[in-house]
Amino acid sequence: MAIASRASKRALSTFAAAATAAKLPEEAVAAAGEAVATAEPLPSATPASFERTSSSRVLGFEDTGRLFAGEPTSALVRTLAALQALSVGPLVDVATAALRSPAVAGSALGRAAARATAYRHFCAGETAAEAAAVVGRLWRGGMGGILDYGIEDAEDGHACDRNAAGFIAAVDVAASLPPGSASVCIKITALCPITLLEKTSDLLRWQKKHPSFNLPWKAHSFPILSDSSPLHLTASEPPALTPSEERELELAHERLLAVCARCAEHGIPLLVDAEYATVQPAIDYFTFVGALAFNGEASGEVPIVHGTIQAYLRDARDRLEAMVTSAERERVRLGLKVVRGAYLTRETRLAASLGVPSPIHGSIQDTHDCYNGCAAFLLDRVRRGSASVMLATHNVESGQLAAARAQELGIPKGDRNLQFAQLMGMADGLSLSLRNAGFQVSKYLPYGPVEQIIPYLIRRAEENRGLLSASSFDRQLLRYGHCPN
């Protein structure tokens, strides 16, 4: 099948109609806009002198009074309490086991407990209007927001259609907010059934191992896999897609292109999350087909479609260099979000069950080195004008290094093609320090019903588990009022 370079009129009309039925009423969208009407767009930061500066001087954590100025004391106390609770490993183990239990997570009591604890800390609300109000508060405080309608792992086409409508509604809400204040994040597993993504990924891996293997449905894309990718996940030739599966794959593309088209209409950046190894090749394939369609020279100041690189994967740097080379050759501005990765437990268990090497780096330092190397590589492309990057990190050293490198390269701090991002409820000290230094910063804002967000909450709880977790730096800043040694 041929994938059109723009969403078909049928797809647009179908999902636009569904979005009209599923999104907020117009008065609610208007109310969301009014909630932030007083928040004027932030002026672009004046470029600094760009003298060579050590990373420790670019970001400041020593003066916590200035760092947390404007943050209500009650909010800081709640944040410390939540992060402290999450640092208690046995407590987190019990909580995540409960959240994984359908009997608990599906009960009114279980949902109420989750809503009052982890959900309140990590999520922006149950509706787009509530999330939009959070964007407004962030914007007034000098940061932006990433709206993430928290749905994933669709089982059939009907669920995918509903999810596409929800994503389009999120774009409409983002468009009602001050220009530049909001972007939208989606998951491909919400737009295409999981079983089809797994089968498509197997076929893409097999073609990488056997280049003459024909995939009649495959459209032109950037490189998806490298020789260092976990090709062993597909040990034998997978069956071809059936005609009905090819049709469902085409519909999934149309759903994605419809969301992309709505983003392009309003100039809203679209961030496509990476997920787990069994489906990631198909996710990258979808993402890059969308990027080729919408990230041309006419896409505006910032490219519309952004893929994601997970630095904890051994093949991350190889794939990054291949896709950047391909995009530059085709004169398509590449948009990428760089993360470490959030599926460590899942990937490790899968590799162990199959008796194959893990796709994850062998040490945390290797992951740090990969992240920092990918960030430096992309910052150079931002300077050249060939890429747009969002550096999503909770690691203070990575933030410091990237900020210093951007300054050395002379990238203006108001350049929207360089943004930093952290999750709501995490790394607030880093977010505020980057903001205070003049960089563009956004917080990732998942929203939706509690039961819908539970997989996300489990990942956050695991990420913050233990005294030496990702939140240890913020806990010390909040508790002792100084930068940890």
Side-chain angles (χ1 to χ4, degrees), residues 131-478:
V134 176
V135 175
R137 290 196 294 273
L138 288 168
W139 191 242
R140 289 190 292 274
M143 293 188 284
I146 303 167
L147 295 176
D148 174 32
Y149 181 45
I151 44 178
E152 53 189 273
D153 293 1
E155 295 183 356
D156 55 42
H158 295 299
C160 293
D161 286 342
R162 290 194 303 271
N163 297 342
F167 289 145
I168 289 174
V171 177
D172 290 342
V173 170
S176 74
L177 298 170
S181 66
S183 52
V184 170
C185 187
I186 66 171
K187 284 183 167 59
I188 297 298
T189 53
L191 297 177
C192 183
I194 293 294
T195 54
L196 183 55
L197 285 173
E198 291 173 339
K199 190 171 183 179
T200 301
S201 294
D202 275 332
L203 289 164
L204 290 168
R205 276 189 290 264
W206 191 255
Q207 187 186 58
K208 176 62 180 176
K209 292 198 285 188
H210 303 277
S212 62
F213 186 64
N214 183 41
L215 299 177
W217 44 265
K218 187 180 178 185
H220 178 55
S221 179
F222 297 139
I224 298 165
L225 296 158
S226 71
D227 292 337
S228 58
S229 296
L231 304 177
H232 50 257
L233 291 177
T234 304
S236 59
E237 181 177 339
L241 297 184
T242 66
S244 62
E245 287 173 331
E246 285 197 25
R247 176 57 183 155
E248 184 56 51
L249 192 70
E250 184 176 16
L251 287 172
H253 274 288
E254 290 183 356
R255 293 179 192 111
L256 174 63
L257 293 174
V259 178
C260 293
R262 188 62 65 91
C263 285
E265 178 185 346
H266 295 296
I268 302 295
L270 180 68
L271 310 171
V272 181
D273 270 345
E275 300 185 58
Y276 35 94
T278 54
V279 296
Q280 192 57 44
I283 289 172
D284 285 338
Y285 169 67
F286 273 81
T287 303
F288 296 146
V289 170
L292 282 164
F294 289 92
N295 287 11
E297 295 180 357
S299 62
E301 179 187 357
V302 178
I304 295 299
V305 182
H306 293 65
T308 300
I309 288 289
Q310 296 166 299
Y312 71 173
L313 296 177
R314 297 176 188 267
D315 67 346
R317 183 62 183 264
D318 291 342
R319 290 189 298 110
L320 172 62
E321 292 184 3
M323 67 181 70
V324 167
T325 298
S326 180
E328 290 178 343
R329 184 171 57 246
E330 301 196 35
R331 296 185 177 182
V332 172
R333 193 145 45 119
L334 191 64
L336 284 172
K337 172 164 59 83
V338 186
V339 303
R340 276 172 170 75
Y343 297 89
L344 178 63
T345 301
R346 181 174 186 145
E347 301 291 14
T348 302
R349 287 176 179 169
L350 175 62
S353 70
L354 296 176
V356 298
S358 171
I360 307 295
H361 285 298
S363 72
I364 186 62
Q365 189 58 50
D366 288 342
T367 294
H368 292 334
D369 292 344
C370 182
Y371 186 97
N372 295 334
C374 290
F377 178 81
L378 284 169
L379 285 171
D380 186 60
R381 266 59 189 181
V382 172
R383 179 185 61 82
R384 299 182 194 180
S386 63
S388 176
V389 62
M390 175 173 282
L391 298 176
T393 181
H394 299 152
N395 184 276
V396 174
E397 181 181 6
S398 291
Q400 290 173 326
L401 289 171
R405 182 59 179 160
Q407 187 161 299
E408 290 172 358
L409 291 171
I411 300 172
K413 292 178 180 176
D415 188 343
R416 291 184 63 206
N417 287 296
L418 169 59
Q419 299 218 16
F420 291 86
Q422 289 78 42
L423 301 178
M424 178 178 177
M426 292 185 64
D428 289 343
L430 179 57
S431 299
L432 294 168
S433 183
L434 286 161
R435 178 206 64 182
N436 291 349
F439 290 99
Q440 308 287 302
V441 183
S442 291
K443 299 295 278 189
Y444 182 93
L445 307 174
Y447 69 92
V450 174
E451 60 273 18
Q452 183 175 290
I453 305 291
I454 281 176
Y456 177 85
L457 295 179
I458 291 173
R459 292 195 293 273
R460 298 292 76 78
E462 290 176 339
E463 191 173 1
N464 286 277
R465 182 188 182 279
L467 290 173
L468 299 179
S469 68
S471 62
S472 60
F473 184 86
D474 265 16
R475 290 202 310 273
Q476 190 157 348
L477 279 179
L478 289 165

